[in-house]
Amino acid sequence: STQSTGGEKKEKKKKGKKKGGKDKGGGGGGDDEEGFKLGPSTFIPGIEEASTTYEDIWKIRDETDNFQQKYDAELIKELKRGEVESEIRVQVDDLMRAELKNLKAALQKDAGKKGGKASAKKKGAKKKDKKGGKKGKKDKDLTPDRTIESLYEELVKEGILVQYPKVKVSDYLGEYSYLGTTLRHANIEPMPSLSDVRRVVTEYGILPMGSQTVHETAPHVKSIMIAGPHGTGKRMLVNAICSELGANLMDLSAENICGKYPGKAGLTMLLHLVMKVGKLLQPTVVYIGNAEKTFVKKVAKNDMTDPKRLKKELPKIIKKMAPEDRILFVGTSLTPWDGDVKGVCQCYQKIVLIPRPDYASRYLLFKELIMRHGGRLAPTLDLSSLAKISDGYTPGHILTAVKHVLTERRIQQLQRKPLTAAEFVTPLARIDPIYKEEEEQFKAFYDKTTMGKKRQQLLKEDGE
């Protein structure tokens, strides 16, 4: 009886452990749950190699008496020994190959007819390989006899290669979204702030293009689409990318290429010139304004620009781009929902939505723009109230209002008549703001894209 009671107790303990294990696993947030995880970085091996080099060579060296940082003869000898060995090895390999070739020739002479037959068979096999071994065709160079200077000059004269104003990324004003975490706790997904837009454009467009090593190592972003309401600074971001990189800007917007290089042969030549000059003079940014028109379902009758001209060729060119090609296609759009979502997603890898600025960004915009245009901040200027009542207005609208108020005459009167918030209300009232319905259209479009669907799936997994 004692044995049976002891066995029952053990069984109960085991069951209790199993139940407890299940409770721990199902208690929300155990170790088995998998959320969004970042992939392994390709830059870590390089950092580890540099750290190992420091630990093995430089950490143990005493450099206190080497203030002028003179060279170390022994260290140079160690480095050069490897180079000399590799050079000598190449020469030795060449000699060994020559001796091996002589030995093979002697053996073939001894073999006689057998060797002759074998060589004939090899030649026949080579001919077959040449006939049937055609792999991928390389693009033909349509301008082999022309210099890069003449091609560059032609693109400038045709207005394809254009100048752009020098703009820094830091000039794109926007504040961090401080309410984002609070809204997520309330199960409300917040819209990105202008600071997030600036960060994403920097990470996708500027950092990879600025370095050949980073461009070949980091995930290859070939194309970006920047979508947002009027006045959100889409073209400014394109100019900022070019300015930070010192890149060439080529404009392939439908309005710009209308009437240039007509016909199919002309379009092929245009794209050839753009890609050839772009690859030889890297980095290059190819700009496409009103990018949704390329994939529009029905072209308006009054639209004479032939917006669907690049529909077939553009995705092919972007697909052929290799990691060593520092060329970035950037499209901008006011109404991205007018185009076919599938075509847009095939052409543009990353889609960046620019929302209406939130309270923090509007406060920063008024503050910085007033100071940049000769204004002064005074106690009579209630920036907080001004930022509150300007909900729905874009940075372009705010800039228009600031320029309207801060005329030369008004700047001269600032000492005796400080600025007030009421002065900015009238010019703002004349401008139509971005209403919530338009913002919802941008959200609905983004949810239909590939990136939007992935994002929704991740949010669902995190919620579960």
Side-chain angles (χ1 to χ4, degrees):
S1 61
T2 54
Q3 288 178 356
S4 62
T5 53
E8 288 174 2
K9 286 180 181 178
K10 286 179 181 178
E11 286 179 4
K12 286 180 181 178
K13 284 181 181 179
K14 287 178 181 177
K15 288 178 181 177
K17 285 180 181 177
K18 286 179 181 177
K19 287 179 181 178
K22 287 179 182 177
D23 292 339
K24 287 176 184 176
D31 294 335
D32 295 336
E33 287 191 5
E34 291 186 2
F36 176 73
K37 292 184 179 179
L38 289 171
S41 174
T42 52
F43 297 97
I44 289 176
I47 296 170
E48 288 177 346
E49 185 182 350
S51 177
T52 305
T53 305
Y54 170 76
E55 293 285 340
D56 295 342
I57 299 174
W58 299 106
K59 189 176 180 181
I60 57 176
R61 290 180 177 273
D62 185 11
E63 295 285 314
T64 52
D65 297 331
N66 190 14
F67 181 75
Q68 294 183 352
Q69 292 296 299
K70 295 181 180 178
Y71 66 90
D72 190 335
E74 290 300 321
L75 188 61
I76 293 171
K77 285 178 183 178
E78 287 178 15
L79 293 171
K80 290 297 177 183
R81 278 192 197 102
E83 294 180 13
V84 172
E85 284 177 6
S86 60
E87 289 177 7
I88 293 172
R89 182 171 290 177
V90 171
Q91 295 173 6
V92 172
D93 288 345
D94 290 338
L95 291 172
M96 293 295 289
R97 286 193 191 97
E99 289 183 10
L100 186 62
K101 191 176 180 182
N102 293 332
L103 285 171
K104 283 183 178 179
L107 286 170
Q108 283 179 358
K109 284 180 182 179
D110 294 338
K113 293 181 180 179
K114 291 181 180 178
K117 288 179 181 178
S119 61
K121 285 181 182 178
K122 285 180 182 178
K123 287 179 182 178
K126 284 180 181 178
K127 286 179 181 177
K128 287 180 182 178
D129 291 340
K130 285 180 181 177
K131 288 180 181 178
K134 287 183 180 179
K135 295 184 179 179
K137 291 182 179 179
K138 291 185 178 180
D139 293 334
K140 290 183 180 178
D141 188 359
L142 302 177
T143 54
D145 300 328
R146 294 183 60 182
T147 62
I148 187 64
E149 289 81 6
S150 66
L151 299 177
Y152 192 94
E153 184 181 359
E154 181 180 337
L155 288 173
V156 171
K157 285 181 178 178
E158 292 292 340
I160 305 297
L161 207 154
V162 296
Q163 286 186 327
Y164 52 86
K166 301 296 180 184
V167 182
K168 295 180 181 178
V169 181
S170 56
D171 293 336
Y172 188 81
L173 301 172
E175 189 59 275
Y176 179 77
S177 179
Y178 296 102
L179 292 175
T181 308
T182 308
L183 291 171
R184 282 195 180 95
H185 285 311
N187 294 324
I188 300 170
E189 187 60 25
M191 285 292 286
S193 66
L194 297 183
S195 175
D196 295 327
V197 172
R198 184 175 63 236
R199 175 182 57 80
V200 168
V201 169
T202 304
E203 290 176 0
Y204 289 158
I206 296 174
L207 292 179
M209 292 278 286
S211 168
Q212 186 68 35
T213 306
V214 175
H215 193 265
E216 292 178 3
T217 311
H220 189 196
V221 178
K222 303 176 184 179
S223 53
I224 302 171
M225 183 185 199
I226 304 173
H230 181 73
T232 48
K234 298 181 289 297
R235 186 60 193 265
M236 180 183 179
L237 286 171
V238 176
N239 294 333
I241 292 171
C242 296
S243 299
E244 295 289 351
L245 296 171
N248 295 304
L249 178 61
M250 301 196 188
D251 189 354
L252 289 184
S253 303
E255 297 83 0
N256 190 46
I257 63 173
C258 180
K260 300 172 184 177
Y261 298 93
K264 190 175 180 180
L267 181 61
T268 305
M269 177 59 74
L270 169 63
L271 296 175
H272 165 73
L273 292 175
V274 168
M275 295 306 294
K276 184 175 181 179
V277 174
K279 288 178 182 178
L280 292 173
L281 301 175
Q282 301 180 32
T284 300
V285 175
V286 181
Y287 167 69
I288 302 170
N290 296 319
E292 80 286 348
K293 288 186 178 180
T294 308
F295 306 97
V296 73
K297 295 174 184 177
K298 289 184 180 180
V299 181
K301 293 181 180 179
N302 58 350
D303 191 353
M304 307 302 292
T305 60
D306 191 12
K308 298 176 77 172
R309 192 179 177 191
L310 295 172
K311 184 178 181 180
K312 292 182 180 179
E313 300 298 330
L314 195 60
K316 292 179 184 177
I317 289 173
I318 293 173
K319 191 177 180 181
K320 286 181 182 178
M321 285 168 56
E324 60 268 16
D325 299 332
R326 284 194 291 160
I327 301 175
L328 181 69
F329 283 79
V330 183
T332 59
S333 177
L334 274 170
T335 54
W337 51 83
D338 287 344
D340 180 33
V341 178
K342 188 178 179 181
V344 170
C345 293
Q346 284 179 349
C347 188
Y348 297 99
Q349 285 179 279
K350 304 292 182 183
I351 297 174
V352 181
L353 287 186
I354 306 180
R356 301 181 301 169
D358 54 9
Y359 170 82
S361 293
R362 293 195 302 274
Y363 186 95
L364 179 67
L365 282 163
F366 273 111
K367 181 182 175 183
E368 290 294 329
L369 291 176
I370 287 171
M371 293 177 68
R372 288 183 185 184
H373 288 81
R376 295 179 186 176
L377 302 179
T380 54
L381 182 60
D382 189 357
L383 288 177
S384 180
S385 299
L386 197 57
K388 191 74 176 174
I389 65 170
S390 59
D391 186 16
Y393 289 98
T394 63
H397 296 157
I398 294 171
L399 178 61
T400 303
V402 170
K403 285 182 176 179
H404 186 272
V405 172
L406 290 173
T407 59
E408 291 184 9
R409 183 179 179 185
R410 185 67 185 88
I411 292 170
Q412 293 173 356
Q413 296 173 350
L414 288 176
Q415 289 185 349
R416 54 188 178 82
K417 187 182 178 183
L419 285 171
T420 59
E423 294 180 66
F424 296 90
V425 175
T426 304
L428 282 174
R430 294 172 183 166
I431 304 170
D432 291 330
I434 305 301
Y435 296 104
K436 198 171 183 181
E437 291 77 13
E438 186 175 349
E439 192 173 27
E440 290 299 325
Q441 280 184 301
F442 281 100
K443 285 183 183 179
F445 163 78
Y446 188 75
D447 290 340
K448 293 177 185 177
T449 62
T450 309
M451 290 179 65
K453 289 175 181 177
K454 287 181 181 179
R455 187 166 177 268
Q456 285 179 339
Q457 189 177 353
L458 285 171
L459 290 172
K460 283 181 182 178
E461 290 174 0
D462 291 342
E464 291 172 1

